[in-house]
């Protein structure tokens, strides 16, 4: 079921329900925007001494009559509230709590949305400011660029190739504004030439013009968003702990690196097919989360069609350039595939199925429900 604006719970109503809850169960979509929103909500609930539990999973959780069940970034008929991730900051303000600005900003970045005026003001108070360059989580540029999933370029996933790129720029030991601009220009050029499609010129903007975070867990807001998005797909518990402000930085970075290396390699090695309004990739992955990132990177930098299906062994992911009822489409496809389940939202959804099913059969099933 897609979560339409009409179905989303208004912020004042959500805050009223949360303030009266005895226990809150937050079930979030496995995406950076949703887990950041869960972190913002969880921190506010802690401030108000409301016990809660957060799970990033597609499976419903048994709850008692006294629990309040909230879904974030996805839809579930059994939930009491359904929230859009970008509404989290507004909801906690309605609770009388100021949202953690860096986590909230990371959520907006992951969602591809602009923060509201209140968050922009809080950003300035926290010393967060924009500068030239690239949005990576680490001070080590080679590490940050090689493992970024905000961009796909010839050196993505390969630290040595990224070091070679930076060496060609003859950067000073201490990077000034001109050096940051040179790095950004090189990244933008590599990401938008060669096999890149026209939409890459817009997609690459996500890694440019970063907001630096002197008091945050990572170097930039975009880098924080990237780590959250990758980590929730690799190790959901670590991502949730990170969003709640716990000291799991190094563990999260390890998950981010593993995720990046796997998805960039899979995208390069994928077998592809083009259909009407659908671009399909078959690759050697079995993780729905990794396949979702492969599909997103293909959509942004390689796909000639607006919707991308990435199929692996026992899992698939469907993404599009905008809300298109993808969760409903995969749910319909799942009914035709026997022991299959689908979860997600209108713009990104994943499918789990019997690994014995051939990728071509998944492509056929998805094409059929999209007719």
């Amino acid at each position: 079921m897609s979560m339409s604006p009409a179905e989303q719970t208004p912020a004042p109503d959500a805050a009223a329900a949360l303030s009266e809850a005895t226990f809150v169960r937050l079930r979030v979509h496995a995406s950076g925007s949703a887990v950041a929103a869960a972190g913002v909500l969880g921190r506010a609930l802690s401030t108000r001494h409301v016990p809660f539990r957060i799970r990033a999973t597609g499976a419903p959780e048994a709850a008692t009559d006294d629990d309040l069940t909230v879904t974030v970034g996805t839809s579930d008929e059994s939930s009491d509230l359904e929230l859009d991730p970008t509404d989290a900051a507004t909801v906690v303000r309605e609770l009388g709590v100021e949202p953690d600005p860096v986590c909230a900003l990371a959520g907006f970045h992951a969602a591809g949305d602009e923060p509201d005026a209140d968050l922009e003001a809080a950003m300035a108070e926290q010393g967060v400011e924009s500068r030239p360059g690239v949005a990576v989580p680490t001070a080590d540029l080679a590490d940050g660029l090689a493992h970024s999933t905000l961009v796909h370029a010839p050196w993505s996933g390969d630290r040595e190739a990224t070091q070679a790129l930076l060496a060609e720029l003859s950067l000073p030991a201490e990077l000034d504004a001109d050096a940051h601009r040179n790095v950004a220009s090189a990244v933008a050029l590599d990401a938008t030439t060669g096999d890149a499609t026209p939409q890459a010129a817009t997609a690459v903007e996500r890694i440019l013009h970063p907001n630096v975070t002197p008091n945050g867990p990572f170097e930039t807001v975009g880098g924080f968003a990237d780590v959250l998005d990758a980590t929730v797909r690799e190790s959901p518990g670590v991502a949730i702990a990170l969003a709640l402000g716990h000291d799991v930085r190094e563990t999260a970075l390890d998950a981010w690196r593993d995720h990046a290396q796997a998805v960039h390699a899979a995208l390069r090695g994928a077998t592809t097919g083009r259909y009407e309004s659908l671009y399909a990739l078959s690759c050697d992955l079995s993780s729905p989360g990794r396949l979702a990132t492969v599909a997103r990177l293909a959509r942004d930098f390689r796909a000639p069609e607006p919707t991308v299906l990435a199929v692996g062994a026992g899992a698939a992911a469907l993404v599009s350039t905008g809300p298109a009822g993808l969760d409903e489409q995969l749910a319909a496809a799942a009914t035709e595939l026997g022991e299959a389940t689908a979860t997600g939202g209108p713009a990104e959804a994943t499918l789990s199925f019997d690994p014995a099913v051939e990728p071509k059969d998944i492509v056929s099933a998805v094409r059929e429900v999209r007719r």
Side-chain angles (χ1 to χ4, degrees), residues 239-267:
I240 291 166
L242 180 62
L244 289 172
H246 299 304
D247 184 12
V248 293
R249 182 180 189 275
E250 294 307 318
T251 305
L253 285 173
D254 286 343
W256 165 73
R257 293 183 186 103
D258 290 344
H259 189 78
Q261 289 170 2
V263 300
H264 286 300
L267 180 53

Side-chain angles (χ1 to χ4, degrees), residues 18 24 26 28 31-48 50 52 54 70 72 83-109 116 119 224 228 239-246:
L18 289 168
V24 177
L26 290 161
V28 304
S31 66
S33 59
V35 77
V40 168
L41 292 165
R43 295 181 198 216
L45 291 171
S46 291
T47 298
R48 292 184 58 94
V50 178
F52 65 92
I54 302 173
V70 183
V72 184
L83 297 179
D84 185 284
T86 56
D87 287 340
T90 303
V91 170
V92 303
R93 289 194 199 100
E94 291 282 347
L95 284 169
V97 180
E98 280 302 310
D100 177 82
V102 176
C103 187
L105 286 166
F108 273 91
H109 189 283
D116 58 33
L119 267 182
F224 189 5
L228 282 173
I240 291 166
L242 180 62
L244 289 172
H246 299 304

Side-chain angles (χ1 to χ4, degrees), residues 25-300:
R25 296 181 184 272
L26 290 161
R27 189 162 70 84
V28 304
H29 179 47
S31 66
S33 59
V35 77
V40 168
L41 292 165
R43 295 181 198 216
L45 291 171
S46 291
T47 298
R48 292 184 58 94
H49 307 291
V50 178
F52 65 92
R53 179 177 178 180
I54 302 173
R55 295 184 71 207
T57 175
E61 181 182 16
T64 70
D65 291 339
D66 294 332
D67 296 343
L68 182 74
T69 302
V70 183
T71 54
V72 184
T74 186
S75 185
D76 180 359
E77 292 180 352
S78 66
S79 68
D80 300 301
L81 307 176
E82 294 183 357
L83 297 179
D84 185 284
T86 56
D87 287 340
T90 303
V91 170
V92 303
R93 289 194 199 100
E94 291 282 347
L95 284 169
V97 180
E98 280 302 310
D100 177 82
V102 176
C103 187
L105 286 166
F108 273 91
H109 189 283
D113 288 337
E114 294 296 322
D116 58 33
D118 289 331
L119 267 182
E120 288 183 342
M123 178 174 73
E125 292 175 2
Q126 289 283 319
V128 178
E129 59 182 7
S130 179
R131 66 152 168 78
V134 289
V136 294
T138 59
D140 182 338
L141 269 181
D143 184 29
L145 285 174
H147 300 109
S148 175
T149 69
L150 300 180
V151 67
H152 182 71
W155 33 261
S156 292
D158 186 336
R159 187 185 175 102
E160 290 185 2
T162 308
Q163 287 174 325
L165 165 75
L166 296 174
E168 291 177 1
L169 300 179
S170 300
L171 300 171
E174 294 292 331
L175 300 187
D176 56 15
D178 286 340
H180 281 299
R181 289 190 187 95
N182 289 339
V183 172
S185 295
V187 169
L189 180 64
D190 282 353
T192 57
T193 55
D195 295 332
T197 46
Q199 67 266 23
T202 299
V204 76
E205 290 290 329
R206 292 190 69 205
I207 197 172
L208 306 179
H209 315 294
N211 287 317
V212 295
T213 54
N215 300 313
F218 301 101
E219 295 294 311
T220 67
V221 168
F224 189 5
D226 189 22
V227 172
L228 282 173
D229 197 71
T231 303
V232 75
R233 300 172 195 273
E234 291 288 318
S235 182
V238 173
I240 291 166
L242 180 62
L244 289 172
H246 299 304
D247 184 12
V248 293
R249 182 180 189 275
E250 294 307 318
T251 305
L253 285 173
D254 286 343
W256 165 73
R257 293 183 186 103
D258 290 344
H259 189 78
Q261 289 170 2
V263 300
H264 286 300
L267 180 53
R268 288 195 183 92
T271 301
T272 63
R274 185 178 182 181
Y275 309 92
E276 183 179 359
S277 76
L278 180 70
Y279 188 66
L281 305 95
S282 177
C283 49
D284 186 21
L285 292 175
S286 58
S287 160
R290 289 182 173 184
L291 287 162
T293 302
V294 169
R296 173 176 59 79
L297 288 170
R299 177 201 66 190
D300 290 347

Side-chain angles (χ1 to χ4, degrees), residues 310-331:
V311 185
L318 190 64
V319 304
S320 191
T321 52
L326 302 190
D327 48 349
E328 293 177 341
Q329 292 172 18
L330 283 193

